[in-house]
Amino acid sequence: MLVRCAFIETYKTPFYCNNFSSHSTMSIYQATTSAPVNIACIKYWGKRNESLILPTNSSLSVTLSQDNLRSTTTARADPSFTADCLWLNGKVDPIKPGGRLHTCISEMKRLRAAFEAANPDQPKIASFNVHICSFNNFPTAAGLASSASGFAALVYALAKLYALPQTPEELSLIARRGSGSACRSLFGGFVAWDMGSDDVTGLDSKARQVAPESHWPEMEALICVVNDAKKGTSSTSGMQRTVVTSALLQHRIGYVVPSRMADIESAIADKRFGDFAEITMRDSNQFHAVALDTYPPIFYMNDVSRAIIAIITEYNRLSDQPKAAYTYDAGPNAVIYALTPNVREIAQLILYYFPQAEKIVIGGQEVEAALPEGFNEAVAKRWEVGSVKGLIHTRVGDGPRVLSDSEALLNAQGIPKVLA
Amino acid sequence: MLVRCAFIETYKTPFYCNNFSSHSTMSIYQATTSAPVNIACIKYWGKRNESLILPTNSSLSVTLSQDNLRSTTTARADPSFTADCLWLNGKVDPIKPGGRLHTCISEMKRLRAAFEAANPDQPKIASFNVHICSFNNFPTAAGLASSASGFAALVYALAKLYALPQTPEELSLIARRGSGSACRSLFGGFVAWDMGSDDVTGLDSKARQVAPESHWPEMEALICVVNDAKKGTSSTSGMQRTVVTSALLQHRIGYVVPSRMADIESAIADKRFGDFAEITMRDSNQFHAVALDTYPPIFYMNDVSRAIIAIITEYNRLSDQPKAAYTYDAGPNAVIYALTPNVREIAQLILYYFPQAEKIVIGGQEVEAALPEGFNEAVAKRWEVGSVKGLIHTRVGDGPRVLSDSEALLNAQGIPKVLA
């Protein structure tokens, strides 16, 4: 989305990197995009190459709807900008040389330069500095990983700013350099990140859409935002400690994940929810198992997380096939996947054990705490209000979106409209 | 310890299995023993043969002093007893045909019968029914496994009652049939349970003393008794679910445990505490990792257990070599191994985060809550009184003891002196 405009006033700001000189007449090159959160069913945990961010195993995720959770990014290139600059949630986020932000921005500029070389009629903007402003619509306090949606939105915004011909798959290579799992947020639906085997270029380590969101639109998710006093180990340092110290990780990588990837892709293709759920739960368990097998051990789940697992396990015991699948990333929050007909019942169950301060509404109707027939209440205690501090109901969703200029996060002068 | 006595009165009791007829003059065949608790450093988790209780891997434990924790058992054989009968902590514990108690008692009777056949001068008591009374001096509520010390005391009491020539190693074969880890309680000090390879007889799956308690008497233990609302999965059913469903267990069994067994035996031989501690903590972590890799997953540690791990990890960070080793069995209690000079400091640290209702005394001196120099306080929150509901200080100890008749748990009539 290229927007042209006739005039920018000189503008002085207190921020270190957005002093720019005045111009009389110029074009504005700017694009605004949003990108989704994805939650893995087969977990990414461990890099075989830290600088290229090449994983030790393939992974697979569900893209969640941007109607609920998204990162929005505006990127602008302008000859008056004296430095590349990025604001995240209204605060300057330094672009350190050689850092991940720097890598992504440089790679995108490189693609633009190649594009300009191949298309001499294109404006020469590859050398301009860029201002990038990004917002997550979910609070960091929610403990939801924002780096995946954030880097996907960043790469996509730059791709649109630069009018690049690259496919989402090709862009996923660059998002991966920002944050491994970000590559999967370049697609909607069900997305694999194939680990690849080229350790020199990493060009075969990219995302691939296994099925679009329209394939299985009944796939919904209930996110239980769990209160946690303690800040866990960062996933970047945690996963490398696992690679170095866990005796079990190599077995997971070599023998477990390959067949799980094939099995879950097939379960998705055939919409076999029971199999999808079992693989998802087993892989979440195994990811946390290798984290625990790390030395010193890494814990992300707490007693509330454990209680939710006990509740979902009991819920699934009541039917032939699992009707709910929990999964936990590098934190205590549960994401529960379920099909549309079962979501209300599962929300009732969660509410029974984890009362909420605010009303929970699903499908326009308030959810009341309740246990299904035959449910063994004793699998968990009833917790106090605030133990699960929020429930987010969402569903499988689409890939990155291009937004209109009215949704841009930068003002006419190229600085954030909203600052923290 | 054979005790002879001239007369027993007819005695009627309300218990179903100790009706016996009157006699005029007879001998009393009775022995009383105690046996210790052992806490594994290399964990036993998984059977390759459920009826013989043959493990999927070798294991190694430290025997804890009976001065603090013990099971005491009196066994008596008498022709007047109309059935084998066992009381555990003052309550009848049924001896089910084919059950573990039945197996142990039958095997011991078989050994006595062979002994009598080889020694015709011995009294013929193998065919008499037995009364067995057993007490643990620690409350079941403490969540400390009592089956190991209990079956060791039972087997040892019967061995003494029957005046058998079998070595502790040979007796460990029978204790193993009662509860796998009981075989290790037949020795003091540092004890291996070699898994063996004979799947038909199981005769090479037995305990072996790696080093006596006198080898490393500075080895002490601090048991943190952790409050837990939820009753965990029983270890018998839990470990079999792990064998069937964990993709990681086979790797642990085949590739991890064998080298760990060799390494920890060598660390014990050389009294290298740092290596002993690291292997112990890694193996505790891995046991809980394979429990978590089970489907549905099994959790034994809770948030208090996790906090103790974080505290010990930070404590160990302050020195070149670990000075404390945590280990967790199938429950939330921590056992912390440490050498004598460091035990007080560790107890102070635990008290800092887990205040106690009662005074803790070590070496005759009260322990005050305190943090070591340089300790990062933020690794855990300070919990409320009762989160750790007790601290037990003990040390490496000896194997089963023969007790005097004055400590017998059965009265002159062969029924428990104390009933629940």
Side-chain angles (χ1 to χ4, degrees):
Chain A
M1 175 147 302
L2 296 179
V3 179
R4 287 161 192 282
C5 138
F7 184 75
I8 298 186
E9 292 177 5
T10 305
Y11 191 93
K12 293 278 180 206
T13 89
F15 294 95
Y16 75 88
C17 63
N18 61 344
N19 307 311
F20 49 84
S21 52
S22 70
H23 294 266
S24 50
T25 307
M26 59 173 300
S27 297
I28 286 190
Y29 301 100
Q30 178 173 294
T32 299
T33 61
S34 69
V37 166
N38 73 75
I39 301 289
C41 297
I42 305 293
K43 301 294 188 190
Y44 156 52
W45 195 252
K47 299 181 189 68
R48 64 182 199 275
N49 180 318
E50 287 199 64
S51 89
L52 289 174
I53 308 194
L54 300 177
T56 52
N57 59 261
S58 297
S59 54
L60 185 142
S61 56
V62 177
T63 294
L64 300 184
S65 173
Q66 291 166 77
D67 297 346
N68 302 108
L69 302 170
R70 64 184 168 276
S71 294
T72 304
T73 297
T74 298
R76 185 192 296 192
D78 195 284
S80 71
F81 295 161
T82 56
D84 291 333
C85 189
L86 184 138
W87 293 264
L88 174 60
N89 294 332
K91 277 189 186 163
V92 169
D93 197 359
I95 302 168
K96 295 174 195 142
R100 293 172 171 208
L101 281 170
H102 185 257
T103 301
C104 286
I105 295 167
S106 306
E107 285 291 298
M108 294 305 290
K109 285 183 175 177
R110 195 180 54 74
L111 291 182
R112 171 68 191 185
F115 180 67
E116 290 171 8
N119 300 277
D121 57 321
Q122 287 287 320
K124 303 287 180 285
I125 63 172
S127 60
F128 293 177
N129 287 316
V130 290
H131 280 191
I132 298 166
C133 184
S134 192
F135 262 90
N136 304 316
N137 79 332
F138 45 96
T140 307
L144 293 165
S146 55
S147 62
S149 54
F151 274 103
L154 168 75
V155 166
Y156 202 67
L158 288 168
K160 294 301 152 189
L161 164 66
Y162 291 152
L164 296 177
Q166 270 74 16
T167 62
E169 195 162 278
E170 289 165 327
L171 295 176
S172 80
L173 290 165
I174 297 170
R176 189 200 76 219
R177 304 284 301 273
S179 174
S181 56
C183 71
R184 296 187 309 241
S185 278
L186 263 303
F187 288 101
F190 301 82
V191 186
W193 172 11
D194 294 314
M195 64 181 287
S197 58
D198 183 341
D199 290 357
V200 179
T201 68
L203 289 175
D204 57 355
S205 186
K206 58 192 173 184
R208 165 176 56 87
Q209 191 177 56
V210 168
E213 61 277 19
S214 58
H215 168 70
W216 206 356
E218 301 81 9
M219 181 66 77
E220 304 194 6
L222 211 52
I223 305 175
C224 306
V225 181
V226 172
N227 217 345
D228 201 24
K230 190 176 151 285
K231 177 79 191 94
T233 310
S234 86
S235 55
T236 298
S237 70
M239 68 172 71
Q240 285 322 99
R241 207 160 87 211
T242 302
V243 169
V244 173
T245 66
S246 169
L248 301 180
L249 181 69
Q250 294 306 319
H251 188 76
R252 163 170 170 74
I253 292 168
Y255 298 92
V256 181
V257 173
S259 60
R260 276 192 188 160
M261 282 294 290
D263 291 347
I264 200 167
E265 285 195 39
S266 147
I268 292 166
D270 303 341
K271 299 198 266 190
R272 283 179 274 111
F273 184 83
D275 292 339
F276 169 87
E278 180 171 335
I279 297 166
T280 295
M281 291 186 282
R282 281 178 180 264
D283 209 71
S284 174
N285 297 342
Q286 188 166 90
F287 152 47
H288 293 278
V290 298
L292 175 45
D293 188 49
T294 302
Y295 183 76
I298 300 167
F299 295 93
Y300 289 118
M301 295 191 288
N302 63 19
D303 285 352
V304 170
S305 316
R306 288 171 60 192
I308 296 171
I309 288 180
I311 291 163
I312 297 300
T313 299
E314 171 63 11
Y315 177 69
N316 285 333
R317 191 189 60 80
L318 298 178
S319 43
D320 286 347
Q321 291 276 319
K323 296 198 301 190
Y326 59 76
T327 188
Y328 294 80
D329 279 349
N333 295 334
V335 175
I336 302 168
Y337 289 120
L339 297 180
T340 309
N342 303 317
V343 169
R344 172 169 294 273
E345 188 175 52
I346 296 164
Q348 288 173 327
L349 184 53
I350 297 296
L351 277 186
Y352 182 86
Y353 287 100
F354 300 101
Q356 296 294 306
E358 302 196 357
K359 274 188 190 178
I360 302 296
V361 174
I362 288 184
Q365 243 194 314
E366 188 179 345
V367 179
E368 308 279 0
L371 291 185
E373 183 80 20
F375 193 95
N376 172 15
E377 186 188 1
V379 296
K381 69 167 185 175
R382 297 180 78 169
W383 292 68
E384 59 276 22
V385 173
S387 302
V388 167
K389 61 186 176 184
L391 278 179
I392 300 168
H393 173 225
T394 184
R395 62 188 64 239
V396 60
D398 57 351
R401 298 173 183 172
V402 176
L403 303 183
S404 73
D405 199 51
S406 66
E407 296 177 86
L409 303 175
L410 294 170
N411 66 15
Q413 288 72 39
I415 66 146
K417 291 176 178 171
V418 177
L419 290 169
Chain B
M1 173 148 303
L2 296 179
V3 179
R4 284 163 194 280
C5 137
F7 184 74
I8 297 184
E9 291 177 6
T10 305
Y11 191 93
K12 292 278 180 204
T13 90
F15 295 95
Y16 75 86
C17 62
N18 61 343
N19 307 312
F20 50 85
S21 51
S22 71
H23 296 265
S24 50
T25 307
M26 59 174 300
S27 298
I28 288 188
Y29 300 99
Q30 178 174 294
T32 299
T33 61
S34 69
V37 165
N38 73 76
I39 301 288
C41 298
I42 305 293
K43 300 295 189 190
Y44 155 52
W45 195 251
K47 298 182 190 66
R48 64 182 200 276
N49 179 318
E50 288 200 63
S51 88
L52 288 175
I53 309 196
L54 300 177
T56 52
N57 59 262
S58 297
S59 53
L60 185 143
S61 56
V62 177
T63 294
L64 300 183
S65 173
Q66 291 166 76
D67 296 346
N68 302 109
L69 302 169
R70 64 182 169 276
S71 293
T72 304
T73 297
T74 297
R76 185 190 299 191
D78 195 283
S80 70
F81 295 162
T82 56
D84 290 334
C85 188
L86 186 139
W87 294 263
L88 174 60
N89 294 332
K91 278 189 186 164
V92 168
D93 197 359
I95 301 169
K96 294 173 197 144
R100 292 170 170 208
L101 282 170
H102 185 258
T103 300
C104 286
I105 295 168
S106 307
E107 285 292 298
M108 295 304 290
K109 286 183 175 178
R110 195 179 53 76
L111 290 182
R112 172 68 192 184
F115 180 68
E116 289 172 8
N119 299 276
D121 56 321
Q122 287 286 321
K124 303 287 179 285
I125 63 173
S127 60
F128 293 177
N129 287 315
V130 291
H131 279 191
I132 299 167
C133 183
S134 191
F135 261 91
N136 304 317
N137 78 332
F138 45 96
T140 307
L144 294 165
S146 56
S147 62
S149 53
F151 274 103
L154 167 75
V155 165
Y156 202 67
L158 288 168
K160 295 300 152 188
L161 163 64
Y162 291 152
L164 295 178
Q166 269 75 16
T167 63
E169 197 163 277
E170 289 166 326
L171 294 177
S172 81
L173 290 166
I174 296 170
R176 189 200 75 220
R177 304 285 300 274
S179 173
S181 56
C183 71
R184 297 187 308 241
S185 279
L186 262 302
F187 288 101
F190 302 82
V191 186
W193 172 10
D194 295 314
M195 64 182 287
S197 58
D198 183 341
D199 289 358
V200 178
T201 68
L203 289 175
D204 56 356
S205 186
K206 58 193 172 184
R208 167 176 56 87
Q209 191 178 55
V210 168
E213 61 278 17
S214 58
H215 167 71
W216 206 356
E218 301 81 9
M219 181 66 76
E220 303 194 6
L222 212 51
I223 304 174
C224 306
V225 181
V226 173
N227 218 345
D228 202 24
K230 190 175 150 287
K231 178 78 191 94
T233 310
S234 86
S235 54
T236 299
S237 70
M239 68 171 72
Q240 287 321 99
R241 207 160 86 211
T242 302
V243 169
V244 173
T245 66
S246 168
L248 300 181
L249 181 70
Q250 294 307 317
H251 188 75
R252 163 171 170 74
I253 292 167
Y255 298 94
V256 181
V257 172
S259 60
R260 277 192 186 159
M261 283 295 289
D263 291 347
I264 200 167
E265 286 195 38
S266 147
I268 291 166
D270 305 341
K271 298 197 266 190
R272 284 180 274 111
F273 184 83
D275 293 339
F276 169 87
E278 181 171 334
I279 297 167
T280 295
M281 291 186 283
R282 280 178 180 266
D283 209 71
S284 174
N285 298 341
Q286 188 167 90
F287 152 47
H288 292 277
V290 298
L292 176 45
D293 188 49
T294 302
Y295 183 77
I298 300 167
F299 296 92
Y300 290 118
M301 295 192 288
N302 63 19
D303 285 352
V304 170
S305 316
R306 288 171 58 192
I308 295 171
I309 288 181
I311 291 162
I312 296 300
T313 299
E314 171 63 11
Y315 176 69
N316 284 334
R317 191 188 59 78
L318 299 177
S319 43
D320 287 348
Q321 292 276 320
K323 295 197 300 190
Y326 58 76
T327 188
Y328 294 80
D329 280 350
N333 295 334
V335 175
I336 302 169
Y337 289 121
L339 297 180
T340 309
N342 303 317
V343 169
R344 171 169 295 272
E345 188 175 53
I346 296 164
Q348 288 174 328
L349 185 53
I350 296 296
L351 276 186
Y352 183 86
Y353 288 100
F354 300 101
Q356 296 295 305
E358 303 196 357
K359 274 189 190 177
I360 302 296
V361 175
I362 288 184
Q365 243 195 312
E366 188 179 345
V367 179
E368 306 279 0
L371 290 185
E373 183 79 19
F375 193 94
N376 173 15
E377 186 187 0
V379 296
K381 70 166 185 176
R382 297 180 78 168
W383 292 68
E384 59 275 21
V385 173
S387 302
V388 168
K389 60 185 175 184
L391 278 179
I392 300 168
H393 173 225
T394 184
R395 62 188 64 239
V396 59
D398 57 350
R401 297 173 183 171
V402 176
L403 304 183
S404 74
D405 199 51
S406 65
E407 296 177 86
L409 303 175
L410 294 170
N411 66 15
Q413 289 72 39
I415 68 146
K417 290 177 177 171
V418 177
L419 290 169

